[in-house]
Amino acid sequence: MCAYSYPQLIPLLSQFEFMIKTTIISTVFFLYTLFSFGQNEGRSIPDVTVKKLDNSSFQTSEITNDGNPIIISFWATWCSPCKRELNAIAEDFEDWVDETGVKLVAISIDDARNMHKVKPYADGQGWEYDVYIDANADFKRAMNVNNVPHTFLIDGNGHIVWQHNSYAPGDEDELYELVEKLSKGESID
Amino acid sequence: MFVKQPYLSAIVFIFSSSFLWAQEGSLDGLEIHGNFEVYAQTYNEDSIIGAPNVPEKSGVNAFGNFIATKGAFTAGVRIEAYLPPVQGFSNNYGTQPVGAPYRFAQFAKGKFDITVGNFYEQFGNGMILRSYEERALGLDNAFDGLRIKVKPIPGLYIKGIVGNQRFYWQKSTGYVRAIDGEIAINELIESLAESKLRFTLGASFVSKYEAAGLKNFEYPENVASWAGRGQINYGGFSLLGEYVYKFNDPNSDNHYIYRPGKGVLLSATYSQKGFGINITAKSIDNMHFRANRDAQLNDLFINYLPALTRQHTYNLATTLYPYATQPAGEIGIQVDIIYKIKKGSLLGGKYGTTIQGNVAIINSLDTQQISSPSDLDSEDYLPSDPSREGYKANLWTFGDKIYYRDYNIEVDRKFSKKIKLKTSYIYFVANTDISQGTALGKNIHAHIGVLDGLFKVTRKHSIRTEIQHMWTEQDQGNWAFAMIEYGYSPHWFVTILNQYNYGNPTKALRVNYPTAQLAYINGANRVSLAYGRQRAGIFCVGGVCRPVPAANGVTVSLTSSF
C-alpha cells in the first residue's frame, strides 16, 4: 500500500523544502565560522566553576599538571560504561603515573539526586583521581560534551589535543599509548 | 532567501560579536567550538506494543551549539530543529520547526562574570532554583535575562539573576528574580586554609512575579521563597543540610491553596579507601514552584526536587516501575553503601571484589485534610475562607502510605584479565498509582535478578552479555531480558537484545521486544543505527547511556563535538 496519499504529500513537500533550506543555511553558517577563523591547534580548558568533594568551589582553569599530560573524563554514578572505563584505568593507574606523570581529572555530571554518592563511590573504588562535581553541567556544556563517557587528553601546554566519546574495553590501552607519546613530547595525530 | 526570524537574529548575533572582536584588530585566540546532536526515528504501527500509526512516519530532533570564545568574552547560540518532534517529546516543540531558542553573551574576568541572554543556574541542591537542559527528556527551562556573579573577597560567592524561563518556543509569563550567597569559611579565614575541618554556608532568596489571572479570587502576584544550607567536612566525614521555605503560592498543582511550601534535605557521608556510606533523608511539602502558576507536567519548574532512589541502569529496573518525585509531598530516606574487598584476600580474589548495597524508603507525608480537593476546585468556594490552607502536615513524620521501596545489592568481581562478572538483585515495592498515575489500588512487588558478564577476548575485542529477569505477580507479570554486545575498540559496537514479557496474564500480550544496533565511534563523533522495538527509559548500549521513548522502527543517532 502507498505510504502517502496525495493531500498528505503537499505539507510533506513544503516541509522538505524547509528542511533543505535550513540545512543549506546551517551548513553555510558552519563552514563560514570554521574556515574564516581557521582551526586552532587545540582549545585550552575553559574556565568554569565546579565543586570539590568538600563542596567548595573550584575553577577549571586551575586544572594543571606541571607540563605533564592530563586526562579529563566526564562520568556519572549512573553510567555503567563510565565506571567500567574509570575502574579499568584505576587498575594500572599507579604505573601510568610513574611512567608518564599523567593526572586524571574525573568530572562527575551527577546532579543533586546522586552527587552525594560521588565521594563514597570514588573512595570506595580507591580512585587516585582528582574528582569534581559539575552538578548543573556548566563544564559539560563548555567542553561540548553530548553524552558520557567522554574523555579528553590535554597536552603539557594545556591544549585539548584528543577526545573520545563512549567506552569499549580496550580503549584504555589506546589512551595510554597517547599519554605516553605526549609525555615524551611527541605529537599525536 | 527565506530565513526564519529567530534563526536570522542568531546568525546576526554571532557574526556581529565576531566582527566586534575583529575590529579590535586581532582574531588571535578566538576559538569556535560546539557540538551537534541528531536523533531520528521512523515509526511502524505496532498495536500489540501500543506503538500508534504515526501519520508523519518519522521524527527528527536536531541540535547544534556554536560557541565563540576570546579571552574574557564568550558568545553562543543553539539552533534546534524538530522536523517534526520525535514521538514522546512535547508537541509544543512542533509549533516551530527550527529556531534558536538559546543564545547568550558572557563576559567573565577577575571578580565579575556577567551573562546576558540565556543561561542555566542552580542554587545549592536546586531545591529552590535550578534551570537545566535534559535534552533526552525534552526538558529545557533555561532563563532568558541577566545573571551577574561576583566574588568580592576570597571565599564569598554572590550570584544574582533576573529573567523569564523557556517554555518550548515561548517564555514564561512569570518573572524570576533571585539572589544566592555562599561562604567558604576556609577560604575566607586565612588561618583555616589548611584545616581538616571545612565549612561552607549558603543562603538563597527567590521571588516570582506573575500578574493575577481571571480566577475569582486574589492571587499573590509576588511569591517569595528562601533557603539556607550548610556543609561540614572533616577528613572522610561530611554532613550537609538544606532547608527551603516558600510563601503562599496558590497554583494548579495544589488546588490554589494558600499553604506555604517547605522542604528539607539532610545528608551524611563517611568514606575511606575501599569503603563509603551515604545516608540521605528528604521531606517535601507543597513544593511545586513554577514560573507560571498554571503550568503542567514538567513545564516551567523554578526548583528541582531530586528523587531519593538509586538511578538504576539495567533495562528492566529502569523502564518498568521507576520512581518520580512527588513535589506535593513525600518523605524518605536512602542508604547507599560501597565496600571493596581487598585484592588477594580469600573473598576478594586476585583482583578484588566490589559490593554495593542501596535501600530507599519513601512514604506519603503525615497529613490531615482540612478541605477536600473537590471542594477547593468548586467555583463557589470562598477564597478568603481560612480553611483554604487545604491540609495540615508535619514535615518530620512519615505518613502511612507507601510510595516506594527499593532494596538492591550488586557484586562485581574480576576473575581474570579476561573475565569480569557482575550480579545484582533488586526488590521494588512501587505504588504506581502515585508515581505513574495508574489506578491499580495496590502496590507492585517486583524482584529483579541480573547477570552481567564481560569477556575481553583480545586487547581490542570484547563481548558483554546481560541476562535479566523480573518476577512479579502484579501488572504485566514476569519479564526476561537477554543482550549480547560485541565491542571492537575504539570504533565499533554491535548489540542484539530482546525483552520478553512471557509472564503477561493476557496471552496475546506475551510480546518480544527485539532490537539490533550498530554503532561507530571516531573521536568525538558517534553514529548509531538501530532497528527494533523499544520501550521507554534510560537505556545503555554501545557504551553510552541515554533515555529513549517507546517505538517500533529505525533509530539513527548522531553526536559530534568540535
Side-chain angles (χ1 to χ4, degrees):
Chain A
M1 216 175 88
C2 179
Y4 299 105
S5 64
Y6 179 70
Q8 280 177 312
L9 209 60
I10 293 171
L12 199 77
L13 279 176
S14 65
Q15 205 169 66
F16 274 129
E17 196 184 319
F18 184 73
M19 272 172 75
I20 291 162
K21 275 176 180 164
T22 50
T23 311
I24 292 168
I25 295 163
S26 51
T27 311
V28 169
F29 170 63
F30 175 60
L31 292 176
Y32 172 83
T33 40
L34 209 64
F35 293 120
S36 58
F37 304 119
Q39 280 286 53
N40 294 295
E41 254 195 330
R43 293 175 66 206
S44 43
I45 303 169
D47 189 21
V48 171
T49 309
V50 292
K51 291 278 188 178
K52 293 183 201 169
L53 293 178
D54 69 0
N55 195 40
S56 60
S57 297
F58 177 79
Q59 293 300 128
T60 52
S61 58
E62 289 167 25
I63 297 174
T64 54
N65 192 23
D66 299 326
N68 290 316
I70 303 166
I71 299 163
I72 298 179
S73 181
F74 283 80
W75 71 288
T77 58
W78 45 262
C79 167
S80 302
C82 305
K83 292 188 285 186
R84 270 200 290 280
E85 175 172 34
L86 289 168
N87 287 326
I89 295 173
E91 284 175 21
D92 301 317
F93 194 62
E94 267 183 47
D95 295 342
W96 288 29
V97 175
D98 287 348
E99 281 158 40
T100 65
V102 69
K103 173 193 262 191
L104 195 152
V105 178
I107 306 287
S108 150
I109 60 160
D110 284 286
D111 69 13
R113 177 174 182 183
N114 295 308
M115 64 189 188
H116 309 305
K117 297 175 195 159
V118 169
K119 188 173 193 290
Y121 185 83
D123 286 349
Q125 293 290 5
W127 289 354
E128 301 291 335
Y129 307 149
D130 292 3
V131 183
Y132 300 103
I133 297 175
D134 185 27
N136 209 30
D138 294 323
F139 194 40
K140 176 176 175 252
R141 265 190 298 279
M143 295 286 275
N144 303 303
V145 170
N146 280 304
N147 296 314
V148 286
H150 195 117
T151 306
F152 294 87
L153 198 49
I154 319 295
D155 70 10
N157 301 317
H159 292 124
I160 300 166
V161 289
W162 180 88
Q163 50 180 310
H164 188 80
N165 179 237
S166 100
Y167 169 72
D171 284 1
E172 67 275 17
D173 299 320
E174 192 204 6
L175 180 65
Y176 183 62
E177 280 171 13
L178 297 170
V179 169
E180 267 188 319
K181 276 190 177 176
L182 282 184
S183 79
K184 288 178 194 156
E186 295 169 20
S187 78
I188 54 171
D189 291 315
Chain B
M1 194 158 62
F2 166 68
V3 184
K4 260 222 141 62
Q5 191 270 329
Y7 202 70
L8 182 70
S9 67
I11 294 171
V12 169
F13 179 77
I14 275 264
F15 280 11
S16 57
S17 24
S18 57
F19 290 140
L20 266 176
W21 287 320
Q23 278 172 3
E24 278 180 8
S26 164
L27 287 172
D28 285 355
L30 176 65
E31 292 169 342
I32 303 286
H33 53 97
N35 59 13
F36 283 104
E37 177 168 2
V38 178
Y39 190 81
Q41 273 190 325
T42 67
Y43 303 104
N44 303 325
E45 185 175 358
D46 190 344
S47 55
I48 200 158
I49 63 164
N53 173 28
V54 178
E56 63 265 30
K57 306 287 180 202
S58 69
V60 179
N61 291 0
F63 306 82
N65 278 296
F66 302 89
I67 302 171
T69 308
K70 191 191 175 207
F73 292 96
T74 306
V77 59
R78 180 170 67 236
I79 294 161
E80 298 183 4
Y82 302 90
L83 300 163
V86 168
Q87 294 289 301
F89 289 77
S90 171
N91 285 332
N92 289 325
Y93 283 116
T95 57
Q96 184 183 325
V98 183
Y102 175 87
R103 74 281 177 271
F104 71 95
Q106 184 179 19
F107 173 78
K109 198 164 193 179
K111 293 173 175 174
F112 293 95
D113 180 343
I114 298 166
T115 307
V116 288
N118 297 103
F119 57 88
Y120 296 101
E121 185 53 68
Q122 176 173 332
F123 291 174
N125 291 286
M127 292 212 303
I128 188 164
L129 183 140
R130 183 188 186 205
S131 65
Y132 65 111
E133 187 202 9
E134 195 62 74
R135 202 175 283 169
L137 298 176
L139 195 158
D140 182 9
N141 62 351
F143 285 107
D144 192 5
L146 170 70
R147 174 178 64 186
I148 300 177
K149 295 202 247 183
V150 191
K151 283 179 263 184
I153 48 170
L156 181 60
Y157 301 84
I158 296 167
K159 297 189 255 194
I161 69 165
V162 57
N164 306 96
Q165 281 180 286
R166 178 177 179 191
F167 182 54
Y168 304 101
W169 292 106
Q170 297 170 317
K171 300 268 184 289
S172 62
T173 52
Y175 288 83
V176 177
R177 297 77 52 107
I179 185 160
D180 182 79
E182 188 164 287
I183 300 169
I185 306 282
N186 302 74
E187 292 169 44
L188 189 71
I189 302 165
E190 233 170 279
S191 59
L192 294 177
E194 298 303 317
S195 170
K196 261 181 99 176
L197 193 61
R198 309 196 75 79
F199 289 99
T200 54
L201 292 170
S204 319
F205 177 80
V206 178
S207 158
K208 165 188 79 165
Y209 169 79
E210 188 187 5
L214 297 168
K215 281 255 171 169
N216 61 348
F217 58 91
E218 280 176 39
Y219 286 116
E221 293 191 315
N222 289 288
V223 173
S225 66
W226 61 268
R229 62 183 187 270
Q231 179 163 346
I232 305 172
N233 286 69
Y234 184 81
F237 289 97
S238 129
L239 201 62
L240 72 92
E242 180 161 7
Y243 180 83
V244 52
Y245 184 92
K246 181 169 66 99
F247 290 88
N248 57 28
D249 178 23
N251 57 52
S252 62
D253 298 301
N254 67 14
H255 304 276
Y256 302 95
I257 57 172
Y258 286 74
R259 181 181 172 73
K262 291 169 204 163
V264 63
L265 180 80
L266 297 167
S267 181
T269 304
Y270 172 75
S271 63
Q272 61 181 54
K273 195 168 178 177
F275 175 72
I277 179 167
N278 172 260
I279 302 170
T280 303
K282 188 186 75 168
S283 180
I284 46 179
D285 172 16
N286 191 24
M287 275 308 290
H288 284 99
F289 192 19
R290 307 190 195 236
N292 287 5
R293 63 174 74 85
D294 291 324
Q296 298 290 318
L297 304 169
N298 288 324
D299 296 340
L300 289 175
F301 267 102
I302 297 169
N303 63 346
Y304 170 73
L305 301 161
L308 206 61
T309 54
R310 179 169 180 184
Q311 193 160 341
H312 289 284
T313 53
Y314 289 112
N315 193 291
L316 294 180
T318 56
T319 53
L320 284 161
Y321 308 114
Y323 186 64
T325 302
Q326 299 303 309
E330 64 171 23
I331 180 166
I333 185 161
Q334 179 178 218
V335 181
D336 194 78
I337 297 174
I338 177 168
Y339 178 59
K340 194 166 182 176
I341 306 171
K342 278 201 181 87
K343 282 182 198 179
S345 63
L346 186 66
L347 283 171
K350 192 178 170 191
Y351 296 92
T353 300
T354 307
I355 302 173
Q356 277 184 273
N358 173 287
V359 173
I361 292 168
I362 299 166
N363 270 29
S364 61
L365 213 54
D366 186 18
T367 56
Q368 293 104 47
Q369 214 68 32
I370 300 171
S371 28
S372 75
S374 55
D375 279 351
L376 291 168
D377 289 343
S378 80
E379 282 294 318
D380 49 26
Y381 201 80
L382 278 179
S384 53
D385 191 319
S387 67
R388 194 139 195 118
E389 176 90 358
Y391 61 92
K392 282 187 188 344
N394 185 344
L395 197 60
W396 305 97
T397 49
F398 274 72
D400 50 16
K401 196 190 259 181
I402 289 178
Y403 277 9
Y404 208 71
R405 299 282 185 272
D406 182 350
Y407 309 90
N408 60 78
I409 186 161
E410 183 177 293
V411 181
D412 191 350
R413 180 166 175 150
K414 188 171 171 179
F415 287 88
S416 70
K417 281 226 175 275
K418 296 196 167 190
I419 298 175
K420 209 174 163 182
L421 283 179
K422 195 152 87 171
T423 173
S424 301
Y425 166 72
I426 302 159
Y427 171 43
F428 291 134
V429 182
N431 183 340
T432 55
D433 293 359
I434 292 293
S435 59
Q436 296 176 21
T438 58
L440 295 178
K442 62 183 176 194
N443 294 331
I444 289 170
H445 294 255
H447 302 263
I448 300 170
V450 181
L451 252 178
D452 177 342
L454 176 63
F455 309 93
K456 205 172 164 184
V457 184
T458 62
R459 202 184 125 163
K460 282 177 178 286
H461 300 265
S462 64
I463 288 169
R464 200 169 70 83
T465 58
E466 271 179 31
I467 297 165
Q468 306 175 27
H469 191 271
M470 176 189 271
W471 292 263
T472 179
E473 285 172 8
Q474 291 87 30
D475 198 36
Q476 302 171 74
N478 290 358
W479 283 84
F481 173 102
M483 184 210 75
I484 183 159
E485 180 176 274
Y486 162 66
Y488 178 40
S489 164
H491 294 304
W492 295 96
F493 274 106
V494 181
T495 310
I496 295 168
L497 63 88
N498 187 29
Q499 302 164 71
Y500 182 26
N501 187 197
Y502 75 93
N504 199 302
T506 313
K507 229 176 177 176
L509 295 177
R510 290 176 188 167
V511 183
N512 284 288
Y513 291 78
T515 299
Q517 193 194 52
L518 176 70
Y520 174 74
I521 299 114
N522 192 354
N525 310 300
R526 183 179 187 277
V527 189
S528 75
L529 178 74
Y531 180 70
R533 283 170 163 172
Q534 280 184 322
R535 284 193 297 113
I538 291 179
F539 190 46
C540 295
V541 267
V544 172
C545 296
R546 62 151 56 222
V548 285
N552 176 336
V554 176
T555 304
V556 178
S557 155
L558 185 144
T559 55
S560 174
S561 302
F562 61 91

